[in-house]
Amino acid sequence: QVQLVESGGGLVQPGGSLTLSCAASGFIFSDYTMSWYRQAPGKERELVATISNRGISTNYADAVKGRFTVSRDNSKNTMYLQMRNLIPGDTAVYYCLLRRLGQDSWGPGTQVTVSS
């Protein structure tokens, strides 16, 4: 059974940094592209970053390019999102996504709040 668990969220001041983790189990992690999404209050869930199965290829939303870095450690079945220079607009619940065999699996999310 696929399980994704995000962690690392919290309250941070503007300009600060956080690193999120997504621990995966129940599937062969190194076989799949993984993604980070976020959802702010009153807004639709949006794609933040994607990383290919071996971590060679990454893609980012324009809003986070140059500030966020997605990575993965296939030996630990974990994906990361390093976030720097955070702004209030980054406040959201952050989710990791596995898309496999036509099915989407989501974690429960972790809250990131950027506020002074």
Side-chain angles (χ1 to χ4, degrees):
Q1 183 177 353
V2 171
Q3 188 171 18
L4 302 170
V5 180
E6 303 91 342
S7 61
L11 174 63
V12 62
Q13 292 188 342
S17 300
L18 278 176
T19 297
L20 307 183
S21 299
C22 171
S25 61
F27 64 102
I28 303 174
F29 183 71
S30 59
D31 279 357
Y32 295 95
T33 291
M34 296 291 297
S35 300
W36 285 101
Y37 277 73
R38 68 184 182 185
Q39 188 167 19
K43 294 188 177 181
E44 292 188 358
R45 197 169 293 191
E46 63 177 1
L47 177 65
V48 174
T50 297
I51 185 165
S52 61
N53 65 319
R54 295 183 181 180
I56 295 172
S57 177
T58 59
N59 288 288
Y60 298 91
D62 288 344
V64 307
K65 277 181 185 175
R67 299 189 299 120
F68 290 12
T69 302
V70 60
S71 62
R72 63 193 296 163
D73 185 340
N74 286 347
S75 70
K76 296 182 178 179
N77 288 353
T78 302
M79 176 177 63
Y80 304 96
L81 186 67
Q82 183 179 12
M83 306 185 293
R84 300 180 297 273
N85 297 325
L86 286 160
I87 61 175
D90 295 320
T91 295
V93 178
Y94 284 72
Y95 301 89
C96 53
L97 165 71
L98 164 70
R99 181 160 289 160
R100 183 181 73 143
L101 303 176
Q103 232 177 355
D104 289 352
S105 297
W106 297 91
T110 186
Q111 175 72 47
V112 172
T113 302
V114 184
S115 175
S116 55

